[in-house]
Amino acid sequence: PPSKAKIKDGVIAIVGGEGAVVTGGSQSDSPFSEPPAFASDNIARALLDAAEDENVKAIVFRVDSPGGSPTASDQIWRAVERAKEKGKPVVVSMGSLAASGGYYVSTGADVILANRSTITGSIGIFGGKFAIEGTANKLGVTFDTVSVGGEFANAYGAAPFNQAQEAEVKAQLKRGYDRFLTLVGEGRHMTYDQVHEIARGRVWSGAQGKENGLVDEIGGFMTAITKAQELAGMDTSHLPVLAYYPQ
């Protein structure tokens, strides 16, 4: 274990996850599936715990994710903001994939590093449903619906959206897209229109992300640790003590 003297010099916290961004904790209800590694409760808690630790001088947030739940992504984004409010620099180290929600959780960091071949961007949102009523009817299956709660109550049933439901779904998606772009703009010091030009769900390599402003530097995990030391005012001549969260 590291000596007390070394810990006094300062610790770099390592927080990270791999896989889809999902809500909740890292428990799996099925014995046949792996528990989610990028569960928002756990990742957010890890970031907050690291931020509360007085020995931690900066956080390296390792992200390897294709995205997932907007709600979960927003929870993790807020935890990054809280860590920064506590005075802890946050450096994102992108793995092979940090796209969509994987970019959402990264955009508030002080510095974003990616590999040249990292798949990133995909700043967008989508939604809808499989309207299976017509197909089921051809198989002799019909649906009877009892609806309570207004126009939108049965929107996600088997039938196609009606005009009002389709309009509301599109409005929900637009609100989600606008929030995503607003957060990217704030994090990357860009206007809404500048973000929109490189968003719209398009996918970029890490090298392209560096060119269009989504990534600050090209570099791997060790480079991210050194960058975190620099932001924290630590001595970069030797590797710091690393603390992994959740512990």
Side-chain angles (χ1 to χ4, degrees):
S3 67
K4 289 184 179 180
K6 282 190 174 182
I7 289 177
K8 191 176 179 182
D9 291 339
V11 172
I12 299 295
I14 309 298
V15 178
E18 182 177 349
V21 182
V22 297
T23 56
S26 59
Q27 299 296 317
S28 176
D29 295 327
S30 170
F32 302 106
S33 64
E34 290 286 324
F38 221 118
S40 62
D41 284 358
N42 293 66
I43 297 293
R45 182 75 264 160
L47 288 163
L48 296 175
D49 285 348
E52 294 286 348
D53 189 333
E54 63 182 21
N55 291 316
V56 169
K57 303 305 180 187
I59 299 170
V60 173
F61 183 19
R62 180 71 171 176
V63 178
D64 201 331
S65 173
S69 162
T71 303
S73 300
D74 204 65
Q75 181 184 357
I76 296 168
W77 170 85
R78 179 60 187 139
V80 172
E81 292 298 300
R82 292 270 300 278
K84 289 162 57 184
E85 289 165 9
K86 289 284 186 181
K88 312 286 182 169
V90 180
V91 176
V92 160
S93 171
M94 292 181 167
S96 60
L97 188 61
S100 191
Y103 192 82
Y104 194 124
V105 302
S106 304
T107 192
D110 293 290
V111 176
I112 296 176
L113 276 72
N115 298 313
R116 295 190 64 82
S117 59
T118 295
I119 296 171
T120 191
S122 192
I123 298 167
I125 189 169
F126 70 93
K129 67 173 180 178
F130 292 105
I132 63 171
E133 185 177 58
T135 302
N137 290 166
K138 292 177 181 178
L139 300 173
V141 178
T142 59
F143 297 87
D144 291 314
T145 303
V146 176
S147 178
V148 177
E151 182 70 51
F152 203 69
N154 66 337
Y156 286 94
F161 292 126
N162 63 33
Q163 193 169 6
Q165 291 167 347
E166 183 174 340
E168 178 55 30
V169 170
K170 287 180 177 178
Q172 286 179 353
L173 293 173
K174 181 65 165 64
R175 288 193 293 270
Y177 182 70
D178 285 348
R179 174 160 176 77
F180 198 167
L181 263 66
T182 298
L183 295 184
V184 173
E186 291 173 355
R188 305 304 301 165
H189 308 293
M190 300 164 73
T191 67
Y192 180 99
D193 289 340
Q194 286 173 326
V195 179
H196 184 57
E197 281 300 309
I198 54 176
R200 289 178 275 182
R202 285 177 292 174
V203 175
W204 308 99
S205 69
Q208 290 170 322
K210 172 73 166 62
E211 293 172 5
N212 62 29
L214 293 179
V215 171
D216 291 300
E217 297 180 24
I218 300 299
F221 183 61
M222 297 307 295
T223 307
I225 291 173
T226 302
K227 175 59 66 174
Q229 287 178 286
E230 290 175 0
L231 293 180
M234 297 168 66
D235 181 4
T236 60
S237 64
H238 58 83
L239 188 69
V241 175
L242 304 178
Y244 291 83
Y245 290 78
Q247 291 181 320

